[in-house]
């Protein structure tokens, strides 16, 4: 952006899309199923624009109408003769034994250099320039992250002109294929299907989720999930936790200072002080790590300490007025659960579940590790798209709807070859965790 003009985060992370060739706009190269009574396939090259700029060949659905008014079945449409080889390569089996007639344009001039073709090329160039979402499929609107996805022009009767990327699976006979995408990134991470790289980078601007950095990376751990977090309120009070060394922490939920009304804060503080006392008497006091990362009972935190972390005993809790300074010092900007990715079942459009659980992955670039692990246990993953879960509130909706469908949600699940869970975070409602004493930290 020019100096002085406001920049938004989106500008910083735009994937660069480089146009390698100029768009050929002057010809229609059409693969037609039977033409002039033949049984074979005709590859015909037509002059696209007439002298007054009107289209000489028009398209609708899988039909084209030629200058003489005859209507034919279209198998493929491209900007160049070479472009149609893609179709023949992909359909070798069904083409076997069929006669192919080539009917090239016979004129001396180059249709791509006609004034109308040049004007149309400029129009398409402008549309590509202005498109903020160049890596979205112009047919279905979903992200494109496919090496060799098509670049095509939508140019049909009664349909608005459009140009951009198209999933291989979204191609229709009348799409005018201009070329294809080449991307080393997309080729290397081919398992990241329909993945929105830009959205993932933006979702990571405050760093990875707290849960992915937390303890319990080995074995099965439980990720407490509260359907209605209290910390989202705008109360003017909060709860201060006084620690044994004279410093303090604040009651947090999902790593944000909990904001309550005055009454609520007083009640919450009294309850917590009571818990501290009881726990101390039971020789399992509530503690905070010196870097304020974890809070919980001694028996829960002690085994999870990282090198350099010390434990500070919680002495008492007190209601205190909430200030912006407290928020800055004690709330994390990071999300608790997100960013994550979820696999969406292409067939149903809903989160994909395997053996009754919905897997979520904290690092999409490790997805192939998980797919290989599941496959070794005989778990077949149907066609999917990789969707970004950017914010905790998206995660909440996903978890709530999964529980409604009777499915478990597990973060980074790995299984043994019999399919028995080996590792992962099982997302579990806070009430159920409290009832079963699985974990006491929040
Ligand atoms: Zn598509």
């Amino acid at each position: 952006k020019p100096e002085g003009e406001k920049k938004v985060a989106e500008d910083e992370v735009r994937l660069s899309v480089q146009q390698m060739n100029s768009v050929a706009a002057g010809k229609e190269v059409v693969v037609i199923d039977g033409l002039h009574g033949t049984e074979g396939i005709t590859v015909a090259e037509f002059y696209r624009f007439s002298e007054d700029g009107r289209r000489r060949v028009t398209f609708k659905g899988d039909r084209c109408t030629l200058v003489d008014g005859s209507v034919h079945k279209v198998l493929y449409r491209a900007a160049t003769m070479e472009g149609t080889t893609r179709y023949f390569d992909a359909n070798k089996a069904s083409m076997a034994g069929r006669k192919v007639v080539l009917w090239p344009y016979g004129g001396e001039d180059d249709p791509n250099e006609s004034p109308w073709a040049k004007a149309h090329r400029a129009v398409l160039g402008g549309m590509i320039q202005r498109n903020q979402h160049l890596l979205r499929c112009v047919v279905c609107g979903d992200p494109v992250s496919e090496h060799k996805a098509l670049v095509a022009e939508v140019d049909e009767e009664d349909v608005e002109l459009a140009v951009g990327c198209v999933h291989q699976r979204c191609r229709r006979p009348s799409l005018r294929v201009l070329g294809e995408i080449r991307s080393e990134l997309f080729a290397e991470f081919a398992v990241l299907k329909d993945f929105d790289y830009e959205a993932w980078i933006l979702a990571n601007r405050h760093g990875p989720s707290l849960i992915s950095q937390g303890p319990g990376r080995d074995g099965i751990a439980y990720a407490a999930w509260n359907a209605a977090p209290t910390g989202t309120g705008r109360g003017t009070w909060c709860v201060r936790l006084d620690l044994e060394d004279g410093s303090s922490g604040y009651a947090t939920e999902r790593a944000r200072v909990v904001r309550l009304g005055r009454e609520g804060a007083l009640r919450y503080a009294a309850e917590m002080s009571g818990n501290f006392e009881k726990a101390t008497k039971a020789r399992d006091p509530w503690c905070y790590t010196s870097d304020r990362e974890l809070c919980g009972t001694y028996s829960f935190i002690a085994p999870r300490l990282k090198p350099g972390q010390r434990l500070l005993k919680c002495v008492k809790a007190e209601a205190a007025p909430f200030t912006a300074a407290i928020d800055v010092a004690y709330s994390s900007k990071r999300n608790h659960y997100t960013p994550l990715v979820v696999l969406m079942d292409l067939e149903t459009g809903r989160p994909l579940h395997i053996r009754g659980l919905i897997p979520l992955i904290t690092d999409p670039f490790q997805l192939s590790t998980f797919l290989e692990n599941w496959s070794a246990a005989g778990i077949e993953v149907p066609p999917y798209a990789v969707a970004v879960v950017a914010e905790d509130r998206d995660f909440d909706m996903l978890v709530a709807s999964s529980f409604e469908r009777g499915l478990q949600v597990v973060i980074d699940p790995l299984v043994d070859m019999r399919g028995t869970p080996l590792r992962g975070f099982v997302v579990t409602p806070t009430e159920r965790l409290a009832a079963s004493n699985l974990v006491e930290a929040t």
Side-chain angles (χ1 to χ4, degrees), residues 207-219:
S209 67
L210 290 159
I211 209 161
S212 69
Q213 304 294 293
R217 297 295 294 167
D218 292 318

Side-chain angles (χ1 to χ4, degrees), residues 15-31:
L15 291 186
S16 91
V17 179
Q18 231 177 339
Q19 199 176 324
M20 306 303 282
N21 298 314
S22 71
V23 172
K27 283 194 244 178
E28 290 294 1
V29 184
V30 194
V31 180

Side-chain angles (χ1 to χ4, degrees), residues 348-367:
T348 62
R350 308 182 79 174
L352 183 149
H353 57 93
I354 48 176
R355 300 198 178 164
L357 66 87
I358 293 182
L360 301 176
I361 308 295
T362 49
D363 180 358
F365 298 99
Q366 300 296 328
L367 179 60

Side-chain angles (χ1 to χ4, degrees), residues 198-334:
E198 290 176 351
W200 177 253
I201 296 163
L202 278 174
N204 272 277
R205 61 186 174 277
H206 298 308
S209 67
L210 290 159
I211 209 161
S212 69
Q213 304 294 293
R217 297 295 294 167
D218 292 318
I220 301 295
Y222 295 87
W225 178 72
N226 186 346
T230 46
T232 50
R234 283 285 177 91
T236 54
W237 285 72
C238 56
V239 174
R240 194 187 65 236
L241 312 174
D242 294 336
L243 308 177
E244 60 177 333
D245 67 344
S247 68
S248 45
Y250 285 84
T252 56
E253 195 172 70
R254 297 187 177 186
R256 286 186 175 79
V257 173
V258 177
R259 296 173 64 172
L260 299 157
R262 186 168 173 277
E263 282 299 310
L266 285 168
R267 221 178 310 127
Y268 193 11
E271 197 185 309
M272 284 187 100
S273 286
N275 286 344
F276 293 169
E277 241 170 79
K278 256 187 272 167
T280 304
K281 268 188 204 144
R283 303 197 58 81
D284 190 17
W286 276 75
C287 298
Y288 229 118
T289 52
S290 48
D291 56 6
R292 312 281 184 272
E293 206 173 79
L294 274 176
C295 182
T297 55
Y298 182 89
S299 59
F300 175 73
I301 301 191
R304 294 173 165 79
L305 277 190
K306 289 186 212 161
Q309 276 184 332
R310 280 185 307 120
L311 282 185
L312 295 168
K313 222 170 80 184
C314 298
V315 181
K316 65 174 193 303
E318 252 179 84
F322 175 82
T323 66
I326 292 173
D327 201 32
V328 168
Y330 295 93
S331 290
S332 172
K333 275 203 169 62
R334 287 205 237 159

Side-chain angles (χ1 to χ4, degrees), residues 402-414:
S402 307
F403 286 174
E404 218 152 85
R405 291 168 70 196
L407 297 165
Q408 269 201 316
V409 179
V410 186
I411 300 170
D412 293 342
L414 288 174

Side-chain angles (χ1 to χ4, degrees), residues 125-138:
M127 290 173 84
I128 291 172
Q129 277 281 310
R130 284 190 303 276
N131 189 344
Q132 292 289 302
H133 301 286
L134 213 46
L135 289 168
R136 295 226 160 219
C137 175
V138 287

Side-chain angles (χ1 to χ4, degrees), residues 137 139-140 167 169-170:
C137 175
V139 172
C140 72
H167 295 117
R169 65 168 185 276
C170 291

